[in-house]
Amino acid sequence: MKRKAFILVAALILGVLTQPAAGQATIDNLVFPEGTATQPLGSLGGVKKGGDGPHTLILLAGAPFGSEVWSGFMERNAERYTMYAVTPAGYAGTSPPPLPDDPAAFVPPVWTEALYQGLLELVEKEGLERPVLVGQHLMSVHYVLRMAQMHPDRFSGVVAIAGNPYGPLAGGGTRLPSENQQSSFISQNFVPFYRTVSLQTWRAGDYPASAFSQDPVKGRAYELLQESVPLPQQLRYFLEFLSTQTRLALSEIQVPVLALLPQANVDSAYTTALNNGMSREQVEEYLVKKYGSLKKAHRELRKSTAWEPYRSQFQDVRILYPADSGLFMMADRPEFVDGAIAAFVEEVTASAED
């Protein structure tokens, strides 16, 4: 998410025009190519059921991935859980929902609300008794937290893997923009750019293979899956999320939450800064100024700050920081992730039965 926002800001600063040059074909990423098949609003792209264990999980991968990314987790935990891995409509080769009459309007969030509807219908159709929601990576974590906020009686807990409780624009302070302010900002500053952005520029803001996994082969596989999803589908979910993220009120989430976050470190800080034109000396000067010493910087950066400022806003939250992991930590740190989720599920389901 931050990568996409950075690409937009950089393009605006550098004066990149959103209109095509003379003689160039017009791009409109907010509409489907001719002949695109759609499915009714509220339909899920797909649901993969696995396992026959006593506890129930609903697994939702981050954008723009589908149920395939949960295969290893489901195989390892088949005896622990009964699992439903969900693919949002339009991801992983599935047909997207229809576009609204005005494809440049993102409030109300038509596709996002249809995803929520599909998840609730899954719970009802399968007769699931307060399953645990598991979200991973950007947007998906927001979705599962939002579902728990709206329907605390339907779910017994939330697991958030490698995702933030807020997106980059709304923040978590007390002076959040109103929904109208948020959507107006997105409409004026984001929609024109993304409507005509080239696929090359969009992919320049994608997460690289190294962010997905510390294993280059696994990371590249996730990167290829990311690139396989058509841009209109990715943009619709992305811009709806940016337009409506202020709807999430962390203090209203009544069910327990477990957050599993990759550790930040000095090496990643160097890499990010160097990629943005800073010298190593400038990075060290900044870190010493901010943390007091490089040694302290190493220690403090082992913790992600994405959740810590909002810890007090949750009624019940646990935050863990497994080392040596990319965004797909269920592949990078399977034993840690499996153990942490197992302990959490045992605890929250036992509490729900009391």
Side-chain angles (χ1 to χ4, degrees), residues 38 91 108 117 143 232 239 255 269 299 341 347 351:
T38 61
Y91 289 170
Q117 177 187 341
Y143 295 155
L239 291 171
V255 302
R299 185 170 65 250
I341 293 178
E347 178 186 348
S351 298

Side-chain angles (χ1 to χ4, degrees), residues 164-293:
N164 296 340
Y166 278 103
L169 299 180
T174 57
R175 299 183 63 184
L176 295 178
S178 69
E179 187 174 310
N180 287 337
Q181 290 172 328
Q182 179 88 356
S183 61
S184 295
F185 179 83
I186 298 302
S187 295
Q188 295 171 19
N189 296 284
F190 276 55
V191 173
F193 174 80
Y194 283 118
R195 186 165 206 160
T196 59
V197 71
S198 69
L199 186 59
Q200 180 181 10
T201 301
W202 170 265
R203 286 185 175 170
D206 275 342
Y207 284 87
S210 59
F212 290 133
S213 174
Q214 294 201 343
D215 182 324
V217 175
K218 292 178 182 177
R220 179 56 179 159
Y222 292 128
E223 190 175 45
L224 290 173
L225 288 173
Q226 174 182 243
E227 293 175 357
S228 70
V229 179
L231 192 51
Q233 281 93 299
Q234 294 197 49
L235 274 173
R236 183 77 221 173
Y237 283 115
F238 174 64
L239 291 171
E240 285 190 2
F241 168 72
L242 291 184
S243 299
T244 61
Q245 61 189 286
T246 54
R247 293 184 177 192
L248 181 58
L250 302 181
S251 61
E252 295 178 6
I253 299 173
Q254 300 174 26
V255 302
V257 175
L258 170 66
L260 303 177
L261 306 173
Q263 287 185 357
N265 55 56
V266 170
D267 289 337
S268 65
Y270 279 132
T271 300
T272 301
L274 292 172
N275 287 342
N276 286 301
M278 293 177 69
S279 68
R280 191 175 185 88
E281 290 74 20
Q282 288 174 314
V283 177
E284 291 181 351
E285 181 181 354
Y286 167 78
L287 292 173
V288 170
K289 182 177 180 181
K290 182 173 183 178
Y291 296 104
S293 69

Side-chain angles (χ1 to χ4, degrees), residues 58-193:
I58 294 178
L59 307 171
L60 187 64
F65 301 97
S67 61
E68 70 280 352
V69 304
W70 294 106
S71 295
F73 179 87
M74 295 176 77
E75 290 173 5
R76 296 191 307 268
N77 292 279
E79 295 183 1
R80 279 178 171 159
Y81 313 118
T82 300
M83 294 163 283
Y84 298 82
V86 174
T87 297
Y91 289 170
T94 64
S95 298
L99 291 168
D101 293 337
D102 181 2
F106 298 94
V107 176
V110 178
W111 281 19
T112 307
E113 291 181 350
L115 175 60
Y116 296 153
Q117 177 187 341
L119 291 171
L120 283 178
E121 289 179 356
L122 172 64
V123 172
E124 293 172 359
K125 178 182 176 181
E126 297 293 327
L128 307 183
E129 293 292 334
R130 302 200 67 193
V132 173
L133 289 163
V134 184
Q136 179 267 339
H137 189 30
L138 63 86
M139 284 157 48
S140 174
V141 164
H142 178 92
Y143 295 155
V144 295
L145 289 172
R146 174 65 173 148
M147 287 291 289
Q149 177 197 342
M150 294 188 297
H151 306 285
D153 58 325
R154 298 291 189 93
F155 306 102
S156 59
V158 170
V159 178
I161 301 175
N164 296 340
Y166 278 103
L169 299 180
T174 57
R175 299 183 63 184
L176 295 178
S178 69
E179 187 174 310
N180 287 337
Q181 290 172 328
Q182 179 88 356
S183 61
S184 295
F185 179 83
I186 298 302
S187 295
Q188 295 171 19
N189 296 284
F190 276 55
V191 173
F193 174 80

Side-chain angles (χ1 to χ4, degrees), residues 49 145 172 259 275 282 294 300 333-334:
K49 184 179 179 181
L145 289 172
N275 287 342
Q282 288 174 314
L294 285 178
E300 293 299 319
R333 295 293 310 277

